[in-house]
Amino acid sequence: MRKTTLTILMFLITVLSLHAQNKVDLDIIKEIVQNEKGYYNDILNVYLTDDPYIRIDDIALIYYGQAYLPTYKGGNDANEEMLKTYVSESNQRKVYNTAKKILEYNPVSLNALFYAWRSAEALGLTEAEATSYVKKYLSLLEMIITTNDGKSSKTAFKVISPDDQDHILYGILDIEEVKSRDLDTQTLCNIIRVEPSEKFKSRTMYIDVSLPLSHIEK
């Protein structure tokens, strides 16, 4: 039996118990990305085609797997910074072009997906294109909040970019007021105190930022 079969089997076993454990197993995702590139690329292609039957564990593999690729920048590179500049200037054409450039090497960038969607609409591009961006954006956010509940450091929402925290807060959980943010240096979780919403009925949210922080430390 090849290692590929064994590794995928391990991953699928983990997925079956995902909801019961309320956990994403980053070690297995890292193993697949680094040693089973063909399988990872196959799932990536399914994600890119907006397959409506893609599984939540496949979306988790693509999103968290990005953190183990050589191209991973911890969610912070020159293009990401330029994107923010163009957004602040309301230069929709440059926002769109820069977001597209980011998505070529980081197809799970929530910033790039969000602004590609918004700028595509502003520029009057095809509805199908704008819809493709928003579908990917929402599927990633749904995965993040489904595989954990964000109510403790052990079940914290996990992100691969610091900017993804705000997309969780405002883009999916409809948080209207953030009272404070503090980093727990032991758990590497941001502890965010919020006004509860219909989608998040707690005053304290935990977001695990260990992946982007570990990249900064390298």
Side-chain angles (χ1 to χ4, degrees), residues 34-79:
Q34 294 183 344
N35 298 301
E36 311 299 343
K37 294 179 182 178
Y39 179 71
Y40 180 81
N41 288 332
D42 286 344
I43 300 302
L44 175 60
N45 287 332
V46 173
Y47 163 81
L48 291 174
T49 60
D50 296 320
D51 189 319
Y53 301 108
I54 190 169
R55 301 173 303 173
I56 191 170
D57 49 294
D58 291 334
I59 297 172
L61 173 62
I62 297 305
Y63 177 76
Y64 295 110
Q66 184 71 26
Y68 302 108
L69 294 174
T71 53
Y72 177 61
K73 304 291 184 182
N76 184 23
D77 63 21
N79 287 323

Side-chain angles (χ1 to χ4, degrees), residues 103-165:
L103 291 172
E104 289 177 2
Y105 60 86
N106 183 4
V108 296
S109 168
L110 290 176
N111 273 346
L113 287 167
F114 179 79
Y115 288 113
W117 161 41
R118 298 299 296 272
S119 60
E121 288 187 333
L123 293 168
L125 302 183
T126 66
E127 182 179 353
E129 183 170 1
T131 299
S132 178
Y133 297 131
V134 74
K135 279 183 177 179
K136 291 182 179 69
Y137 176 75
L138 292 175
S139 70
L140 290 167
L141 287 175
E142 289 285 356
M143 178 277 296
I144 293 170
I145 68 166
T146 299
T147 53
N148 284 295
D149 65 16
K151 295 180 180 179
S152 74
S153 59
K154 291 184 178 179
T155 61
F157 298 133
K158 297 179 186 294
V159 297
I160 63 171
S161 168
D163 288 343
D164 292 356
Q165 298 176 91

Side-chain angles (χ1 to χ4, degrees), residues 7-50:
T7 302
I8 294 173
L9 179 59
M10 290 171 60
F11 181 68
L12 293 176
I13 290 172
T14 300
V15 167
L16 290 175
S17 58
L18 183 62
H19 294 288
Q21 293 181 358
N22 210 26
K23 180 181 178 182
V24 169
D25 194 320
L26 295 179
D27 289 335
I28 290 182
I29 289 177
K30 180 179 180 180
E31 169 75 11
I32 291 174
V33 172
Q34 294 183 344
N35 298 301
E36 311 299 343
K37 294 179 182 178
Y39 179 71
Y40 180 81
N41 288 332
D42 286 344
I43 300 302
L44 175 60
N45 287 332
V46 173
Y47 163 81
L48 291 174
T49 60
D50 296 320

Side-chain angles (χ1 to χ4, degrees), residues 197-214:
S197 70
E198 284 299 314
K199 295 181 180 179
F200 188 76
K201 299 181 182 298
S202 176
R203 296 188 182 277
T204 306
M205 184 185 300
Y206 293 77
I207 300 184
D208 184 331
V209 291
S210 59
L211 286 172
L213 286 178
S214 66

Side-chain angles (χ1 to χ4, degrees), residues 150-157 159 165-166 169 175 177-195 200 202-210 213:
K151 295 180 180 179
S152 74
S153 59
K154 291 184 178 179
T155 61
F157 298 133
V159 297
Q165 298 176 91
D166 283 345
L169 288 163
I175 298 297
E177 183 179 354
V178 173
K179 299 179 183 295
S180 66
R181 303 186 191 216
D182 298 287
L183 176 64
D184 183 332
T185 56
Q186 290 188 327
T187 64
L188 298 182
C189 287
N190 270 335
I191 303 174
I192 306 175
R193 290 171 177 82
V194 303
E195 188 64 30
F200 188 76
S202 176
R203 296 188 182 277
T204 306
M205 184 185 300
Y206 293 77
I207 300 184
D208 184 331
V209 291
S210 59
L213 286 178

